[in-house]
Amino acid sequence: MGFVSKIVALITLLLSMLVPVTHATCRKSSPNYIYAGDSYAAPLNFGKINMTTTYLQPVGSILGSIIVPPSSYSYNGGNADSILWVCDEADLPNIYFLAATNGDEPFGGHVETGLQDGLSGVYATWWKYIGLKQTMSGVVLSRYWQKIPITSYEKLNGKINIRLRDIPPLEAVLYRISQLPNFSRGSYCNTAMIVSGSYSSGKTANGATISCNQPSAYIQLSGDKTVTFSGINRDYEGEDSNVNFSFWTANGIIYGLNTSNTTLTNTPTCVARNATPLVNFAPISKTELENGSKVPAVFNVEIECSDSMISGTGTNQTAIGFQVSDGAYQAASNLGFVSSTNGSVSYLLSDEYGINSDIATGVAIKLYNAASNKEMVFLNQFGIAGGGEAAGWYPVLQGTPYLVGSCFGLYLVSTTL
């Protein structure tokens, strides 16, 4: 009996060794909404950016800052609710996004030019002396593929659907830098960098008009080796996107300045030097608020301008706007205080309005011009140039400005709002 038991045990062991290990599977959805071709890049729409003298805009100055929602990307009629990938629910601990700059393009994420100025993660663009930093879920994008966690998805019948809306938004910031890219590899764009215009129609220093179709970042679906990807390729964490882009074009989405409305100008302008750091309102009772009483407070903004600057909201003119935070924008949107026409915000609310019970409700801040008592609106979280006063942009000298001093062709102006 003992001998027979050992044989049975041995046969059971051999059978268990022959059973294949099952791998979870991920696949693209059908219809397919994924294509990382250059012309489908979600646009980094900064609108008009302006670069003037290094005195007014020293190296390290921020020229523009935006948030790019995933819904900015569209292929094959896709929208925020479109399903990009379908995976087994068991995959969740072992799958993630990978994101990187466009590492094989000198003007799309190959050269980290900001390092010379202490600006890590800032990569060369096609504009001379302008660098781009891109961040997703707190991860600063680089040439090397980095993990971005999947925190949002739809569960359905043992599967998870990863929709376009489940990709985190991208934060993009443009900086003035002091270095031009030094690169050893070729470019898909004209290596004569531009000093004005856009990626689709840029001007070189000698006035030639050229274009560049290269994007700036990618995100793809990847995971551990225990996950099988059916019909799609992927890259691995830590690989250099300069040479590792197995995902392209069928397993990711794309971001870029090449499809954007971003244009560079070189117009005389102003910079804000100082502002009232803390605006205090006098106490007011609940009864007074309910009766429509208001509590005024005045604040100043000190601006330094070129003497050839033109105050206004038109082309090549200088305007000022006051931008709400992302939390305040969301709170205002929830209460219907965001314009559906131009995105302007009519009231400033607390970031945690309606969320934190310690913060008063039924109270908001309204902006007025101190000279004319004219109502003003706030810029939305994107703060894109254009749209005039209806969008929250006002001629920079529209308040109650007075000249503080002037020298070397510059004016120092204080304006009260």
Side-chain angles (χ1 to χ4, degrees):
M1 288 293 290
F3 179 68
V4 172
S5 298
K6 287 179 182 178
I7 292 176
V8 171
L10 181 60
I11 292 172
T12 302
L13 177 61
L14 288 172
L15 287 173
S16 66
M17 292 174 64
L18 293 173
V19 175
V21 177
T22 58
H23 290 259
T25 301
C26 284
R27 60 173 176 80
K28 287 195 297 184
S29 69
S30 180
N32 172 37
Y33 297 108
I34 301 171
Y35 182 68
D38 298 335
S39 60
Y40 290 96
L44 305 187
N45 283 331
F46 290 92
K48 183 183 292 184
I49 57 174
N50 188 64
M51 192 158 68
T52 183
T53 65
T54 53
Y55 175 79
L56 289 178
Q57 290 175 324
V59 169
S61 296
I62 293 177
L63 303 178
S65 177
I66 57 170
I67 303 294
V68 184
S71 56
S72 298
Y73 169 85
S74 178
Y75 171 70
N76 198 22
N79 56 47
D81 291 314
S82 296
I83 299 169
L84 306 184
W85 297 280
V86 179
C87 298
D88 292 338
E89 193 173 331
D91 295 337
L92 270 175
N94 304 309
I95 59 174
Y96 38 80
F97 299 122
L98 288 179
T101 63
N102 183 14
D104 68 346
E105 172 51 54
F107 308 123
H110 179 75
V111 188
E112 196 175 0
T113 44
L115 287 176
Q116 298 289 332
D117 305 315
L119 300 169
S120 61
V122 175
Y123 284 77
T125 69
W126 199 40
W127 291 296
K128 279 190 171 182
Y129 302 111
I130 295 181
L132 173 66
K133 184 175 185 176
Q134 300 168 102
T135 306
M136 187 174 282
S137 293
V139 176
V140 178
L141 303 194
S142 73
R143 270 173 46 177
Y144 301 92
W145 292 106
Q146 298 179 81
K147 283 184 180 180
I148 306 293
I150 299 172
T151 59
S152 173
Y153 46 84
E154 176 187 55
K155 287 186 180 181
L156 186 65
N157 300 325
K159 301 285 185 180
I160 57 166
N161 296 326
I162 301 174
R163 303 154 297 182
L164 184 59
R165 69 167 60 251
D166 299 321
I167 294 177
L170 178 79
E171 179 183 1
V173 183
L174 291 173
Y175 291 89
R176 183 174 200 146
I177 55 178
S178 65
Q179 302 292 314
L180 296 179
N182 181 15
F183 52 91
S184 56
R185 68 160 299 133
S187 171
Y188 296 97
C189 302
N190 193 313
T191 54
M193 298 178 70
I194 59 173
V195 296
S196 66
S198 65
Y199 269 49
S200 60
S201 181
K203 295 282 189 181
T204 64
N206 64 10
T209 301
I210 51 179
S211 63
C212 174
N213 69 344
Q214 287 299 290
S216 60
Y218 298 100
I219 187 167
Q220 61 173 293
L221 184 67
S222 188
D224 298 342
K225 293 182 178 178
T226 56
V227 182
T228 299
F229 286 79
S230 178
I232 51 178
N233 296 322
R234 41 76 179 261
D235 297 285
Y236 295 91
E237 182 184 16
E239 291 183 335
D240 187 351
S241 66
N242 178 40
V243 291
N244 296 105
F245 38 85
S246 297
F247 84 98
W248 194 79
T249 55
N251 181 32
I253 71 170
I254 184 174
Y255 301 84
L257 292 159
N258 60 311
T259 57
S260 76
N261 65 7
T262 309
T263 57
L264 174 65
T265 59
N266 307 111
T267 304
T269 188
C270 306
V271 294
R273 294 301 193 197
N274 293 293
T276 304
L278 183 63
V279 181
N280 289 310
F281 292 89
I284 187 171
S285 69
K286 178 181 177 182
T287 301
E288 289 174 310
L289 281 173
E290 290 174 344
N291 290 333
S293 298
K294 300 175 183 177
V295 180
V298 176
F299 65 95
N300 295 319
V301 180
E302 194 173 82
I303 301 164
E304 195 165 17
C305 303
S306 166
D307 61 356
S308 54
M309 176 276 304
I310 301 174
S311 175
T313 61
T315 302
N316 296 329
Q317 296 179 339
T318 299
I320 187 171
F322 298 89
Q323 185 180 35
V324 300
S325 66
D326 183 59
Y329 175 80
Q330 295 301 329
S333 180
N334 291 339
L335 292 179
F337 293 150
V338 175
S339 168
S340 59
T341 303
N342 49 50
S344 63
V345 181
S346 54
Y347 292 97
L348 176 63
L349 302 172
S350 167
D351 282 9
E352 297 184 338
Y353 187 98
I355 299 174
N356 187 335
S357 59
D358 293 331
I359 293 176
T361 56
V363 181
I365 295 173
K366 186 71 178 175
L367 196 62
Y368 292 86
N369 183 301
S372 64
N373 203 37
K374 179 181 177 181
E375 281 193 17
M376 302 170 68
V377 293
F378 296 89
L379 293 170
N380 62 29
Q381 60 178 343
F382 306 109
I384 296 174
E389 295 187 15
W393 290 109
Y394 299 89
V396 70
L397 300 184
Q398 191 184 73
T400 54
Y402 61 92
L403 186 65
V404 177
S406 65
C407 65
F408 305 112
L410 298 164
Y411 289 134
L412 189 62
V413 176
S414 182
T415 185
T416 301
L417 292 162

